[in-house]
């Protein structure tokens, strides 16, 4: 089992920044690959970023590349999503996720076995 708790969401104006955090606990094998998803109102869920926890390799959706950074602090068992140059279209509920996929399959898309409860990000124009 893996337990994920997100925090750090809020309201910000376009062009602003936010950092999301995800407190992680549970089986390390089950969370070899971790990621962030988002889902806006009336929109499909979108994979935003992923990180392979053993070597820190990352992947990003084209919509956030160059603006968002996924990272981890293993000492604190915390996953982060640093978001810069936020746009109104980034408004969504953001979820932390985990899966046991291997490095070659660790992408923002695809099925993740564990999701947190989410944290809301609202970007106003």
């Amino acid at each position: 089992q893996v337990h994920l708790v997100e925090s750090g969401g809020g309201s910000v104006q376009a062009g602003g920044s936010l950092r999301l955090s995800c407190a992680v606990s549970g089986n390390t094998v089950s969370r070899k690959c971790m990621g962030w998803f988002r889902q806006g109102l009336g929109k499909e869920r979108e994979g935003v970023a992923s990180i392979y926890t053993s070597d820190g390799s990352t992947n990003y959706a084209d919509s956030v590349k160059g603006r968002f950074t996924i990272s981890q602090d293993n000492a604190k068992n915390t996953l982060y999503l640093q978001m810069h140059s936020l746009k109104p279209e980034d408004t969504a509920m953001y979820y932390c996720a985990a899966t046991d996929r291997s490095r070659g399959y660790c992408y923002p898309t695809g099925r993740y076995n564990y999701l947190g409860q989410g944290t809301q990000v609202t970007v106003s124009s």
Side-chain angles (χ1 to χ4, degrees):
Q1 282 283 9
V2 176
H3 190 52
L4 307 168
V5 180
E6 302 94 335
S7 61
S11 297
V12 64
Q13 289 193 326
S17 299
L18 278 175
R19 188 177 78 161
L20 306 183
S21 299
C22 174
V24 183
S25 61
N27 187 294
T28 54
V29 173
S30 299
R31 49 183 169 98
K32 291 189 295 184
C33 172
M34 298 200 66
W36 288 93
F37 283 88
R38 66 185 181 185
Q39 187 163 19
L41 196 61
K43 298 182 180 179
E44 290 189 0
R45 193 174 73 175
E46 177 189 18
V48 172
S50 63
I51 185 167
Y52 192 66
T53 57
S54 64
D55 65 8
S57 58
T58 59
N59 285 289
Y60 296 92
D62 287 343
S63 58
V64 306
K65 203 169 290 184
R67 299 188 298 123
F68 290 12
T69 302
I70 187 172
S71 64
Q72 59 184 352
D73 185 330
N74 291 331
K76 295 182 178 179
N77 288 322
T78 303
L79 184 73
Y80 299 102
L81 185 68
Q82 179 68 56
M83 306 183 292
H84 294 299
S85 302
L86 283 161
K87 306 174 182 179
E89 50 263 43
D90 294 319
T91 295
M93 185 72 81
Y94 283 72
Y95 300 89
C96 175
T99 181
D100 59 356
R101 274 186 269 150
S102 58
R103 185 182 188 279
Y105 298 92
C106 186
Y107 293 100
T109 54
R111 187 177 67 89
Y112 279 73
N113 298 328
Y114 302 95
L115 262 67
Q117 294 299 307
T119 185
Q120 177 68 36
V121 172
T122 302
V123 185
S124 57
S125 57

